[in-house]
Structure formats: structure tokens, C-alpha cells
């Protein structure tokens, strides 16, 4: 028997054979790990998104593979707090060799201890952000953390039609644009706005950004959405009502201006 390898000079990844031959983890976990390591350093992972790349495994299989990798020390998920003090995104640290203590040995979330990698290993880091490392908190079995993670996953699933519409109008969304839309979606979700209304309003604003050819469409859309949320304009019908009022006020201002000009003109003619 012979192993035939094709020659490649692009679009390939290099892994240590120790990883591929680590019998402490299943072939499923090894396959998931190599897939994640093949992605760009700033790639943002979600269980639901990973499941879309396999026709054989669903989310439960992906979760069990992740647990294997955490137990074996190949990865660690780290929760970050946003500006509002709530838990926001989850950073996934993924290595091609065991680096972390097992998940079961995690300390309490208030006093986390993360084994820091060496500086020369930094290029191997796979995480969506390293901007707020001082605000990191480890994921553990605390009910509030798991509930928050459930909210994050629900928002990620529900926003996909919005992301698809955004990309139809503006092309492939960047990680920054996705994060901007995701954070705003979660604000609406936590305000208790029904999902169908969130979907309709977000798509309405995105289409307006396309019509007006906004240079930074995600930022433009989020700015409008924040105003709507703050003023409790939570449906497309409410938006249309606001727009009618705005147009009516604008027309009234124009009429008042025209009347003042006409009155001024009449006064000049009388004086002459």
C-alpha cells in the first residue's frame, strides 16, 4: 500500500504529528481541532457555526468534541465582559499542543487563573479578540454564566437572516461588522422586543443603508437602531409613523418659510 500526497504551495496548514496521533482524544476531536487551527488567527467560533460545516455532526457532537479538547488542554473558552458589565463575547484559545489545565480544574470565576503562553507561541493563538484581556473571566458551571451563554447562542442563531441580508447588500461582512450588528441585536433581544420585529426593523435599516450608500453600513445601521431602541420605536409600523411625522414637520417648516418670504415681498411692494 502507498500513500500518495499532492504537491501544494498554497491553501494548506501545517500541524505537528503529535496532535494528529494523540490517542487521548477521539478522531472527531482531532478533526475539529485541525479545522479550527486552519482558520485565520482572528476567527470567531460558535458551536452552531461549526456545525454548519459538517453534514455528519450536529451541535451536540461539536460540543462533546470541544469538551474533549478542553479536558485534554488543547483549548480554553474565556468569557469577556462588555462595557455594560454583562458577559459579552467568548474568546476561544486554541493550540496545536496541550497548554491548559483541564476544564474540571477551573477555579472560581471571580479569581480566574489562566496559564499564560510564551510570547514566542503567540502566532498560534486562535481567538476573536485580545483587546480586553484584563477583563477576561473563565467559563465555569455557574448557572448565570451558562444562561448568558445560552442567550449569546440564541442571538447568534437568530441574527443569521439579518447577516445574510446585510451581505446581499454589502458583500462579505467583516468580523467587526458582525460584532457590531450582534451586539446591537442582543440589546434589542434583552429589551424584550419580539424576534420577528427585530428582524423586520434591522432589515429595514440595512436596506436604507444600501439606498443611501452608507460608507460604513454596519456603523450607520447600528447608529439608527440605537436611536430607535432608545425611543421605543420597535416595529416597522412605528418607523413609518415617525417618518410621516418627520415629513409633515419638514413640509410645515417649508410652508412657514414660504409664507414669511411672501409676506416680506408684499410688505416691500406696499412700501414702494
Amino acid at each position: 500500500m502507498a500513500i500518495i500526497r499532492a504537491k501544494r504551495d498554497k491553501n494548506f496548514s501545517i500541524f505537528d504529528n503529535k496532535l494528529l496521533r494523540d490517542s487521548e482524544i477521539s478522531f472527531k476531536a482531532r478533526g475539529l481541532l485541525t479545522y479550527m487551527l486552519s482558520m485565520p488567527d482572528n476567527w470567531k467560533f460558535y458551536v452552531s457555526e461549526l456545525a454548519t460545516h459538517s453534514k455528519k455532526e450536529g451541535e451536540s457532537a461539536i460540543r462533546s468534541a470541544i469538551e474533549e479538547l478542553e479536558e485534554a488542554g488543547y483549548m480554553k473558552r474565556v468569557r469577556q465582559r462588555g462595557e455594560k458589565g454583562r458577559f459579552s463575547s467568548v474568546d476561544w484559545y486554541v493550540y496545536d499542543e496541550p497548554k491548559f489545565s483541564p476544564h474540571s480544574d477551573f477555579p472560581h470565576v471571580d479569581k480566574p487563573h489562566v496559564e499564560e503562553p510564551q510570547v514566542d507561541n503567540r502566532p498560534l493563538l486562535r481567538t476573536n479578540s485580545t483587546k480586553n484581556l484584563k477583563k477576561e473571566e473563565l467559563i465555569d458551571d455557574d448557572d448565570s454564566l451558562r444562561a448568558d451563554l445560552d442567550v449569546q447562542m440564541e442571538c447568534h442563531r437568530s441574527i443569521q437572516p439579518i447577516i445574510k441580508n446585510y451581505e446581499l447588500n454589502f458583500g462579505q461582512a467583516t468580523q467587526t461588522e458582525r460584532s457590531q450588528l450582534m451586539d446591537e441585536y442582543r440589546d434589542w433581544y434583552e429589551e424584550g422586543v419580539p424576534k420577528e420585529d427585530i428582524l423586520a426593523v434591522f432589515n429595514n435599516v440595512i436596506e436604507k443603508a444600501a439606498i443611501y450608500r452608507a460608507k460604513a453600513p454596519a456603523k450607520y445601521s447600528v447608529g439608527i437602531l440605537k436611536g430607535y431602541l432608545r425611543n421605543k420605536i420597535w416595529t416597522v409600523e412605528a418607523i413609518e409613523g415617525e417618518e410621516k411625522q418627520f415629513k409633515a414637520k419638514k413640509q410645515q417648516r417649508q410652508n412657514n418659510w414660504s409664507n414669511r418670504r411672501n409676506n416680506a415681498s408684499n410688505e416691500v411692494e406696499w412700501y414702494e
Side-chain angles (χ1 to χ4, degrees), residues 28-60:
K28 175 180 66 177
R30 280 177 259 181
L32 178 63
L33 180 58
T34 53
Y35 172 79
M36 290 192 290
L37 288 169
S38 73
M39 304 306 288
D41 287 353
N42 64 345
W43 197 260
K44 191 170 186 178
F45 293 110
Y46 295 98
V47 172
S48 57
E49 193 274 336
L50 287 170
T52 64
H53 295 283
S54 174
K55 295 181 180 180
K56 301 297 183 181
E57 290 88 11
E59 290 187 21
S60 60

PDB file of all heavy atoms in Angstrom, residues 28-60:
ATOM      1  N   LYS A  28     -12.825  12.402  16.080  1.00  0.00           N
ATOM      2  CA  LYS A  28     -13.753  13.529  15.916  1.00  0.00           C
ATOM      3  C   LYS A  28     -13.157  14.799  16.487  1.00  0.00           C
ATOM      4  O   LYS A  28     -13.176  15.866  15.844  1.00  0.00           O
ATOM      5  CB  LYS A  28     -15.083  13.208  16.613  1.00  0.00           C
ATOM      6  CG  LYS A  28     -16.081  14.349  16.614  1.00  0.00           C
ATOM      7  CD  LYS A  28     -17.369  13.952  17.326  1.00  0.00           C
ATOM      8  CE  LYS A  28     -17.132  13.711  18.805  1.00  0.00           C
ATOM      9  NZ  LYS A  28     -18.396  13.394  19.522  1.00  0.00           N
ATOM     10  N   ALA A  29     -12.597  14.713  17.698  1.00  0.00           N
ATOM     11  CA  ALA A  29     -11.990  15.885  18.328  1.00  0.00           C
ATOM     12  C   ALA A  29     -10.755  16.342  17.568  1.00  0.00           C
ATOM     13  O   ALA A  29     -10.519  17.545  17.397  1.00  0.00           O
ATOM     14  CB  ALA A  29     -11.628  15.561  19.778  1.00  0.00           C
ATOM     15  N   ARG A  30      -9.958  15.384  17.089  1.00  0.00           N
ATOM     16  CA  ARG A  30      -8.778  15.745  16.316  1.00  0.00           C
ATOM     17  C   ARG A  30      -9.162  16.457  15.010  1.00  0.00           C
ATOM     18  O   ARG A  30      -8.519  17.427  14.600  1.00  0.00           O
ATOM     19  CB  ARG A  30      -7.943  14.497  16.003  1.00  0.00           C
ATOM     20  CG  ARG A  30      -7.067  14.042  17.152  1.00  0.00           C
ATOM     21  CD  ARG A  30      -6.316  12.777  16.812  1.00  0.00           C
ATOM     22  NE  ARG A  30      -6.952  11.605  17.418  1.00  0.00           N
ATOM     23  CZ  ARG A  30      -6.497  10.361  17.297  1.00  0.00           C
ATOM     24  NH1 ARG A  30      -5.410  10.122  16.570  1.00  0.00           N
ATOM     25  NH2 ARG A  30      -7.115   9.356  17.885  1.00  0.00           N
ATOM     26  N   GLY A  31     -10.222  15.980  14.386  1.00  0.00           N
ATOM     27  CA  GLY A  31     -10.680  16.621  13.154  1.00  0.00           C
ATOM     28  C   GLY A  31     -11.167  18.033  13.392  1.00  0.00           C
ATOM     29  O   GLY A  31     -10.862  18.957  12.623  1.00  0.00           O
ATOM     30  N   LEU A  32     -11.927  18.229  14.478  1.00  0.00           N
ATOM     31  CA  LEU A  32     -12.415  19.566  14.805  1.00  0.00           C
ATOM     32  C   LEU A  32     -11.256  20.499  15.123  1.00  0.00           C
ATOM     33  O   LEU A  32     -11.232  21.655  14.688  1.00  0.00           O
ATOM     34  CB  LEU A  32     -13.373  19.500  15.997  1.00  0.00           C
ATOM     35  CG  LEU A  32     -13.926  20.845  16.486  1.00  0.00           C
ATOM     36  CD1 LEU A  32     -14.769  21.503  15.390  1.00  0.00           C
ATOM     37  CD2 LEU A  32     -14.755  20.664  17.746  1.00  0.00           C
ATOM     38  N   LEU A  33     -10.281  19.982  15.873  1.00  0.00           N
ATOM     39  CA  LEU A  33      -9.129  20.801  16.249  1.00  0.00           C
ATOM     40  C   LEU A  33      -8.348  21.244  15.011  1.00  0.00           C
ATOM     41  O   LEU A  33      -7.976  22.416  14.891  1.00  0.00           O
ATOM     42  CB  LEU A  33      -8.224  20.018  17.198  1.00  0.00           C
ATOM     43  CG  LEU A  33      -6.953  20.738  17.682  1.00  0.00           C
ATOM     44  CD1 LEU A  33      -7.303  22.043  18.388  1.00  0.00           C
ATOM     45  CD2 LEU A  33      -6.156  19.828  18.604  1.00  0.00           C
ATOM     46  N   THR A  34      -8.093  20.350  14.090  1.00  0.00           N
ATOM     47  CA  THR A  34      -7.344  20.724  12.886  1.00  0.00           C
ATOM     48  C   THR A  34      -8.139  21.709  12.036  1.00  0.00           C
ATOM     49  O   THR A  34      -7.556  22.613  11.421  1.00  0.00           O
ATOM     50  CB  THR A  34      -6.982  19.485  12.044  1.00  0.00           C
ATOM     51  OG1 THR A  34      -8.164  18.722  11.767  1.00  0.00           O
ATOM     52  CG2 THR A  34      -5.986  18.612  12.771  1.00  0.00           C
ATOM     53  N   TYR A  35      -9.464  21.561  12.015  1.00  0.00           N
ATOM     54  CA  TYR A  35     -10.282  22.523  11.272  1.00  0.00           C
ATOM     55  C   TYR A  35     -10.143  23.918  11.876  1.00  0.00           C
ATOM     56  O   TYR A  35      -9.935  24.905  11.167  1.00  0.00           O
ATOM     57  CB  TYR A  35     -11.751  22.100  11.280  1.00  0.00           C
ATOM     58  CG  TYR A  35     -12.666  23.154  10.683  1.00  0.00           C
ATOM     59  CD1 TYR A  35     -12.793  23.304   9.306  1.00  0.00           C
ATOM     60  CD2 TYR A  35     -13.374  24.037  11.504  1.00  0.00           C
ATOM     61  CE1 TYR A  35     -13.597  24.281   8.755  1.00  0.00           C
ATOM     62  CE2 TYR A  35     -14.174  25.016  10.962  1.00  0.00           C
ATOM     63  CZ  TYR A  35     -14.298  25.130   9.592  1.00  0.00           C
ATOM     64  OH  TYR A  35     -15.087  26.110   9.048  1.00  0.00           O
ATOM     65  N   MET A  36     -10.240  24.016  13.203  1.00  0.00           N
ATOM     66  CA  MET A  36     -10.137  25.318  13.856  1.00  0.00           C
ATOM     67  C   MET A  36      -8.745  25.924  13.675  1.00  0.00           C
ATOM     68  O   MET A  36      -8.604  27.132  13.472  1.00  0.00           O
ATOM     69  CB  MET A  36     -10.492  25.195  15.339  1.00  0.00           C
ATOM     70  CG  MET A  36     -11.969  24.919  15.590  1.00  0.00           C
ATOM     71  SD  MET A  36     -12.462  25.111  17.330  1.00  0.00           S
ATOM     72  CE  MET A  36     -11.632  23.713  18.060  1.00  0.00           C
ATOM     73  N   LEU A  37      -7.716  25.090  13.745  1.00  0.00           N
ATOM     74  CA  LEU A  37      -6.359  25.591  13.566  1.00  0.00           C
ATOM     75  C   LEU A  37      -6.089  26.065  12.145  1.00  0.00           C
ATOM     76  O   LEU A  37      -5.148  26.819  11.903  1.00  0.00           O
ATOM     77  CB  LEU A  37      -5.346  24.503  13.944  1.00  0.00           C
ATOM     78  CG  LEU A  37      -5.224  24.190  15.435  1.00  0.00           C
ATOM     79  CD1 LEU A  37      -4.403  22.932  15.647  1.00  0.00           C
ATOM     80  CD2 LEU A  37      -4.605  25.358  16.188  1.00  0.00           C
ATOM     81  N   SER A  38      -6.913  25.618  11.197  1.00  0.00           N
ATOM     82  CA  SER A  38      -6.730  26.033   9.805  1.00  0.00           C
ATOM     83  C   SER A  38      -7.323  27.408   9.515  1.00  0.00           C
ATOM     84  O   SER A  38      -7.080  27.975   8.451  1.00  0.00           O
ATOM     85  CB  SER A  38      -7.374  25.008   8.864  1.00  0.00           C
ATOM     86  OG  SER A  38      -8.793  25.097   8.901  1.00  0.00           O
ATOM     87  N   MET A  39      -8.093  27.961  10.482  1.00  0.00           N
ATOM     88  CA  MET A  39      -8.748  29.233  10.267  1.00  0.00           C
ATOM     89  C   MET A  39      -7.814  30.393  10.628  1.00  0.00           C
ATOM     90  O   MET A  39      -6.823  30.207  11.328  1.00  0.00           O
ATOM     91  CB  MET A  39     -10.031  29.316  11.102  1.00  0.00           C
ATOM     92  CG  MET A  39     -11.008  28.173  10.829  1.00  0.00           C
ATOM     93  SD  MET A  39     -11.432  28.007   9.081  1.00  0.00           S
ATOM     94  CE  MET A  39     -12.467  29.444   8.864  1.00  0.00           C
ATOM     95  N   PRO A  40      -8.133  31.611  10.148  1.00  0.00           N
ATOM     96  CA  PRO A  40      -7.301  32.787  10.485  1.00  0.00           C
ATOM     97  C   PRO A  40      -7.237  33.021  11.991  1.00  0.00           C
ATOM     98  O   PRO A  40      -8.132  32.616  12.745  1.00  0.00           O
ATOM     99  CB  PRO A  40      -8.037  33.941   9.774  1.00  0.00           C
ATOM    100  CG  PRO A  40      -8.777  33.283   8.660  1.00  0.00           C
ATOM    101  CD  PRO A  40      -9.200  31.943   9.191  1.00  0.00           C
ATOM    102  N   ASP A  41      -6.178  33.701  12.426  1.00  0.00           N
ATOM    103  CA  ASP A  41      -5.957  33.920  13.859  1.00  0.00           C
ATOM    104  C   ASP A  41      -7.092  34.661  14.544  1.00  0.00           C
ATOM    105  O   ASP A  41      -7.328  34.480  15.732  1.00  0.00           O
ATOM    106  CB  ASP A  41      -4.655  34.695  14.081  1.00  0.00           C
ATOM    107  CG  ASP A  41      -3.426  33.832  13.820  1.00  0.00           C
ATOM    108  OD1 ASP A  41      -3.597  32.617  13.605  1.00  0.00           O
ATOM    109  OD2 ASP A  41      -2.318  34.383  13.832  1.00  0.00           O
ATOM    110  N   ASN A  42      -7.788  35.546  13.823  1.00  0.00           N
ATOM    111  CA  ASN A  42      -8.843  36.355  14.439  1.00  0.00           C
ATOM    112  C   ASN A  42     -10.236  35.776  14.199  1.00  0.00           C
ATOM    113  O   ASN A  42     -11.234  36.468  14.365  1.00  0.00           O
ATOM    114  CB  ASN A  42      -8.780  37.793  13.917  1.00  0.00           C
ATOM    115  CG  ASN A  42      -9.055  37.881  12.423  1.00  0.00           C
ATOM    116  OD1 ASN A  42      -9.021  36.863  11.720  1.00  0.00           O
ATOM    117  ND2 ASN A  42      -9.316  39.076  11.918  1.00  0.00           N
ATOM    118  N   TRP A  43     -10.306  34.510  13.809  1.00  0.00           N
ATOM    119  CA  TRP A  43     -11.606  33.901  13.503  1.00  0.00           C
ATOM    120  C   TRP A  43     -12.448  33.765  14.763  1.00  0.00           C
ATOM    121  O   TRP A  43     -11.941  33.429  15.830  1.00  0.00           O
ATOM    122  CB  TRP A  43     -11.418  32.537  12.863  1.00  0.00           C
ATOM    123  CG  TRP A  43     -12.651  32.041  12.159  1.00  0.00           C
ATOM    124  CD1 TRP A  43     -13.561  31.141  12.618  1.00  0.00           C
ATOM    125  CD2 TRP A  43     -13.111  32.442  10.864  1.00  0.00           C
ATOM    126  NE1 TRP A  43     -14.559  30.958  11.696  1.00  0.00           N
ATOM    127  CE2 TRP A  43     -14.303  31.747  10.614  1.00  0.00           C
ATOM    128  CE3 TRP A  43     -12.621  33.329   9.903  1.00  0.00           C
ATOM    129  CZ2 TRP A  43     -15.018  31.903   9.427  1.00  0.00           C
ATOM    130  CZ3 TRP A  43     -13.334  33.477   8.726  1.00  0.00           C
ATOM    131  CH2 TRP A  43     -14.510  32.779   8.499  1.00  0.00           C
ATOM    132  N   LYS A  44     -13.741  34.037  14.644  1.00  0.00           N
ATOM    133  CA  LYS A  44     -14.645  33.955  15.790  1.00  0.00           C
ATOM    134  C   LYS A  44     -15.476  32.683  15.676  1.00  0.00           C
ATOM    135  O   LYS A  44     -16.217  32.505  14.718  1.00  0.00           O
ATOM    136  CB  LYS A  44     -15.552  35.185  15.836  1.00  0.00           C
ATOM    137  CG  LYS A  44     -16.336  35.330  17.132  1.00  0.00           C
ATOM    138  CD  LYS A  44     -17.000  36.684  17.200  1.00  0.00           C
ATOM    139  CE  LYS A  44     -17.670  36.911  18.536  1.00  0.00           C
ATOM    140  NZ  LYS A  44     -18.286  38.251  18.636  1.00  0.00           N
ATOM    141  N   PHE A  45     -15.357  31.794  16.651  1.00  0.00           N
ATOM    142  CA  PHE A  45     -16.026  30.495  16.604  1.00  0.00           C
ATOM    143  C   PHE A  45     -17.334  30.504  17.382  1.00  0.00           C
ATOM    144  O   PHE A  45     -17.455  31.151  18.419  1.00  0.00           O
ATOM    145  CB  PHE A  45     -15.117  29.409  17.188  1.00  0.00           C
ATOM    146  CG  PHE A  45     -13.891  29.130  16.361  1.00  0.00           C
ATOM    147  CD1 PHE A  45     -12.640  29.495  16.822  1.00  0.00           C
ATOM    148  CD2 PHE A  45     -13.995  28.502  15.132  1.00  0.00           C
ATOM    149  CE1 PHE A  45     -11.506  29.239  16.077  1.00  0.00           C
ATOM    150  CE2 PHE A  45     -12.866  28.239  14.373  1.00  0.00           C
ATOM    151  CZ  PHE A  45     -11.620  28.603  14.837  1.00  0.00           C
ATOM    152  N   TYR A  46     -18.306  29.749  16.861  1.00  0.00           N
ATOM    153  CA  TYR A  46     -19.553  29.456  17.549  1.00  0.00           C
ATOM    154  C   TYR A  46     -19.863  27.985  17.305  1.00  0.00           C
ATOM    155  O   TYR A  46     -19.586  27.452  16.223  1.00  0.00           O
ATOM    156  CB  TYR A  46     -20.721  30.291  17.017  1.00  0.00           C
ATOM    157  CG  TYR A  46     -20.597  31.773  17.257  1.00  0.00           C
ATOM    158  CD1 TYR A  46     -20.123  32.615  16.262  1.00  0.00           C
ATOM    159  CD2 TYR A  46     -20.978  32.326  18.473  1.00  0.00           C
ATOM    160  CE1 TYR A  46     -20.027  33.982  16.472  1.00  0.00           C
ATOM    161  CE2 TYR A  46     -20.887  33.694  18.693  1.00  0.00           C
ATOM    162  CZ  TYR A  46     -20.411  34.514  17.686  1.00  0.00           C
ATOM    163  OH  TYR A  46     -20.309  35.867  17.903  1.00  0.00           O
ATOM    164  N   VAL A  47     -20.465  27.331  18.287  1.00  0.00           N
ATOM    165  CA  VAL A  47     -20.814  25.930  18.130  1.00  0.00           C
ATOM    166  C   VAL A  47     -21.759  25.757  16.946  1.00  0.00           C
ATOM    167  O   VAL A  47     -21.575  24.872  16.101  1.00  0.00           O
ATOM    168  CB  VAL A  47     -21.465  25.376  19.420  1.00  0.00           C
ATOM    169  CG1 VAL A  47     -21.993  23.966  19.177  1.00  0.00           C
ATOM    170  CG2 VAL A  47     -20.462  25.361  20.559  1.00  0.00           C
ATOM    171  N   SER A  48     -22.778  26.602  16.871  1.00  0.00           N
ATOM    172  CA  SER A  48     -23.754  26.477  15.790  1.00  0.00           C
ATOM    173  C   SER A  48     -23.119  26.697  14.426  1.00  0.00           C
ATOM    174  O   SER A  48     -23.471  26.044  13.441  1.00  0.00           O
ATOM    175  CB  SER A  48     -24.906  27.468  15.998  1.00  0.00           C
ATOM    176  OG  SER A  48     -24.417  28.794  16.082  1.00  0.00           O
ATOM    177  N   GLU A  49     -22.154  27.623  14.357  1.00  0.00           N
ATOM    178  CA  GLU A  49     -21.489  27.891  13.080  1.00  0.00           C
ATOM    179  C   GLU A  49     -20.600  26.727  12.674  1.00  0.00           C
ATOM    180  O   GLU A  49     -20.564  26.318  11.501  1.00  0.00           O
ATOM    181  CB  GLU A  49     -20.670  29.179  13.206  1.00  0.00           C
ATOM    182  CG  GLU A  49     -20.167  29.744  11.876  1.00  0.00           C
ATOM    183  CD  GLU A  49     -18.862  29.149  11.429  1.00  0.00           C
ATOM    184  OE1 GLU A  49     -18.095  28.662  12.285  1.00  0.00           O
ATOM    185  OE2 GLU A  49     -18.594  29.169  10.212  1.00  0.00           O
ATOM    186  N   LEU A  50     -19.888  26.135  13.643  1.00  0.00           N
ATOM    187  CA  LEU A  50     -19.045  24.984  13.344  1.00  0.00           C
ATOM    188  C   LEU A  50     -19.874  23.820  12.816  1.00  0.00           C
ATOM    189  O   LEU A  50     -19.450  23.106  11.898  1.00  0.00           O
ATOM    190  CB  LEU A  50     -18.287  24.556  14.603  1.00  0.00           C
ATOM    191  CG  LEU A  50     -17.144  25.472  15.057  1.00  0.00           C
ATOM    192  CD1 LEU A  50     -16.649  25.053  16.442  1.00  0.00           C
ATOM    193  CD2 LEU A  50     -15.996  25.441  14.058  1.00  0.00           C
ATOM    194  N   ALA A  51     -21.058  23.632  13.386  1.00  0.00           N
ATOM    195  CA  ALA A  51     -21.914  22.520  12.965  1.00  0.00           C
ATOM    196  C   ALA A  51     -22.362  22.648  11.517  1.00  0.00           C
ATOM    197  O   ALA A  51     -22.631  21.637  10.856  1.00  0.00           O
ATOM    198  CB  ALA A  51     -23.133  22.423  13.889  1.00  0.00           C
ATOM    199  N   THR A  52     -22.421  23.880  11.003  1.00  0.00           N
ATOM    200  CA  THR A  52     -22.851  24.063   9.613  1.00  0.00           C
ATOM    201  C   THR A  52     -21.807  23.576   8.618  1.00  0.00           C
ATOM    202  O   THR A  52     -22.121  23.404   7.432  1.00  0.00           O
ATOM    203  CB  THR A  52     -23.149  25.554   9.317  1.00  0.00           C
ATOM    204  OG1 THR A  52     -21.933  26.323   9.452  1.00  0.00           O
ATOM    205  CG2 THR A  52     -24.195  26.100  10.267  1.00  0.00           C
ATOM    206  N   HIS A  53     -20.580  23.336   9.082  1.00  0.00           N
ATOM    207  CA  HIS A  53     -19.510  22.904   8.183  1.00  0.00           C
ATOM    208  C   HIS A  53     -19.343  21.387   8.156  1.00  0.00           C
ATOM    209  O   HIS A  53     -18.388  20.876   7.567  1.00  0.00           O
ATOM    210  CB  HIS A  53     -18.192  23.572   8.583  1.00  0.00           C
ATOM    211  CG  HIS A  53     -18.206  25.059   8.413  1.00  0.00           C
ATOM    212  ND1 HIS A  53     -18.078  25.682   7.188  1.00  0.00           N
ATOM    213  CD2 HIS A  53     -18.390  26.055   9.315  1.00  0.00           C
ATOM    214  CE1 HIS A  53     -18.153  26.988   7.348  1.00  0.00           C
ATOM    215  NE2 HIS A  53     -18.344  27.244   8.625  1.00  0.00           N
ATOM    216  N   SER A  54     -20.253  20.669   8.780  1.00  0.00           N
ATOM    217  CA  SER A  54     -20.220  19.211   8.748  1.00  0.00           C
ATOM    218  C   SER A  54     -21.626  18.670   8.499  1.00  0.00           C
ATOM    219  O   SER A  54     -22.575  19.062   9.177  1.00  0.00           O
ATOM    220  CB  SER A  54     -19.687  18.651  10.082  1.00  0.00           C
ATOM    221  OG  SER A  54     -19.787  17.243  10.094  1.00  0.00           O
ATOM    222  N   LYS A  55     -21.729  17.793   7.526  1.00  0.00           N
ATOM    223  CA  LYS A  55     -23.017  17.174   7.225  1.00  0.00           C
ATOM    224  C   LYS A  55     -23.261  15.947   8.105  1.00  0.00           C
ATOM    225  O   LYS A  55     -24.350  15.370   8.074  1.00  0.00           O
ATOM    226  CB  LYS A  55     -23.070  16.767   5.755  1.00  0.00           C
ATOM    227  CG  LYS A  55     -23.012  17.945   4.786  1.00  0.00           C
ATOM    228  CD  LYS A  55     -23.098  17.478   3.341  1.00  0.00           C
ATOM    229  CE  LYS A  55     -23.050  18.663   2.380  1.00  0.00           C
ATOM    230  NZ  LYS A  55     -23.126  18.238   0.954  1.00  0.00           N
ATOM    231  N   LYS A  56     -22.255  15.555   8.882  1.00  0.00           N
ATOM    232  CA  LYS A  56     -22.358  14.343   9.693  1.00  0.00           C
ATOM    233  C   LYS A  56     -22.612  14.630  11.164  1.00  0.00           C
ATOM    234  O   LYS A  56     -23.295  13.870  11.846  1.00  0.00           O
ATOM    235  CB  LYS A  56     -21.075  13.519   9.555  1.00  0.00           C
ATOM    236  CG  LYS A  56     -20.755  13.085   8.123  1.00  0.00           C
ATOM    237  CD  LYS A  56     -21.822  12.159   7.564  1.00  0.00           C
ATOM    238  CE  LYS A  56     -21.435  11.674   6.162  1.00  0.00           C
ATOM    239  NZ  LYS A  56     -22.475  10.787   5.603  1.00  0.00           N
ATOM    240  N   GLU A  57     -22.009  15.718  11.691  1.00  0.00           N
ATOM    241  CA  GLU A  57     -22.136  16.024  13.121  1.00  0.00           C
ATOM    242  C   GLU A  57     -23.022  17.246  13.346  1.00  0.00           C
ATOM    243  O   GLU A  57     -22.921  18.223  12.608  1.00  0.00           O
ATOM    244  CB  GLU A  57     -20.764  16.300  13.757  1.00  0.00           C
ATOM    245  CG  GLU A  57     -19.873  15.081  13.885  1.00  0.00           C
ATOM    246  CD  GLU A  57     -19.037  14.852  12.635  1.00  0.00           C
ATOM    247  OE1 GLU A  57     -19.012  15.760  11.772  1.00  0.00           O
ATOM    248  OE2 GLU A  57     -18.427  13.782  12.529  1.00  0.00           O
ATOM    249  N   GLY A  58     -23.842  17.160  14.374  1.00  0.00           N
ATOM    250  CA  GLY A  58     -24.663  18.299  14.767  1.00  0.00           C
ATOM    251  C   GLY A  58     -24.016  19.047  15.918  1.00  0.00           C
ATOM    252  O   GLY A  58     -22.866  18.787  16.290  1.00  0.00           O
ATOM    253  N   GLU A  59     -24.759  19.964  16.538  1.00  0.00           N
ATOM    254  CA  GLU A  59     -24.216  20.789  17.609  1.00  0.00           C
ATOM    255  C   GLU A  59     -23.822  19.957  18.828  1.00  0.00           C
ATOM    256  O   GLU A  59     -22.827  20.263  19.486  1.00  0.00           O
ATOM    257  CB  GLU A  59     -25.228  21.864  18.008  1.00  0.00           C
ATOM    258  CG  GLU A  59     -25.425  22.933  16.943  1.00  0.00           C
ATOM    259  CD  GLU A  59     -26.295  24.077  17.420  1.00  0.00           C
ATOM    260  OE1 GLU A  59     -26.412  24.255  18.652  1.00  0.00           O
ATOM    261  OE2 GLU A  59     -26.863  24.787  16.575  1.00  0.00           O
ATOM    262  N   SER A  60     -24.587  18.906  19.128  1.00  0.00           N
ATOM    263  CA  SER A  60     -24.249  18.088  20.303  1.00  0.00           C
ATOM    264  C   SER A  60     -22.913  17.384  20.110  1.00  0.00           C
ATOM    265  O   SER A  60     -22.111  17.266  21.053  1.00  0.00           O
ATOM    266  CB  SER A  60     -25.354  17.058  20.578  1.00  0.00           C
ATOM    267  OG  SER A  60     -25.520  16.199  19.455  1.00  0.00           O
TER     268      SER A  60
END
